[in-house]
Amino acid sequence: MSSIRQFTVPRDGPLMPFLLETLGQNRRVVKNLLKFGAVAVAGVIVRQFDHPLVIGDEVQVGAARSAIATDKLKHAGIVVAYEDETL
């Protein structure tokens, strides 16, 4: 499985500027991460670019490719029964 990066929020503010600054990616990339559910705050997937963050929040960012695949499986009604690094 792809690696998930975790960050701690240093100051209050909206999610989008935090991701742009932290990841060093352009808006299109960050919007795709949000769109496909690759961003979570405190373990909950967030798709809103203006989601409010507070100091100390934990933000997890996975690969958009993994999020897209998981999203497609959900829509197809397929449930993953087992998963590890090699599968």
Side-chain angles (χ1 to χ4, degrees):
M1 190 81 201
S2 64
S3 64
I4 295 176
R5 295 171 287 173
Q6 186 161 327
F7 307 96
T8 302
V9 176
R11 61 186 172 277
D12 295 350
L15 181 59
M16 178 65 88
F18 172 78
L19 292 174
L20 289 170
E21 179 182 324
T22 304
L23 300 177
Q25 298 289 335
N26 63 42
R27 292 182 73 81
R28 182 184 55 79
V29 171
V30 172
K31 282 187 174 188
N32 279 334
L33 289 170
L34 291 166
K35 177 181 177 181
F36 292 111
V39 178
V41 177
V44 178
I45 293 175
V46 175
R47 289 187 164 92
Q48 299 166 301
F49 67 91
D50 61 348
H51 179 83
L53 298 175
V54 295
I55 294 173
D57 275 349
E58 294 294 325
V59 177
Q60 300 86 26
V61 180
R65 189 173 309 183
S66 295
I68 292 168
T70 302
D71 196 46
K72 286 182 179 180
L73 289 175
K74 277 187 195 175
H75 287 305
I78 297 171
V79 177
V80 177
Y82 176 78
E83 182 176 11
D84 65 18
E85 291 85 28
T86 60
L87 178 63

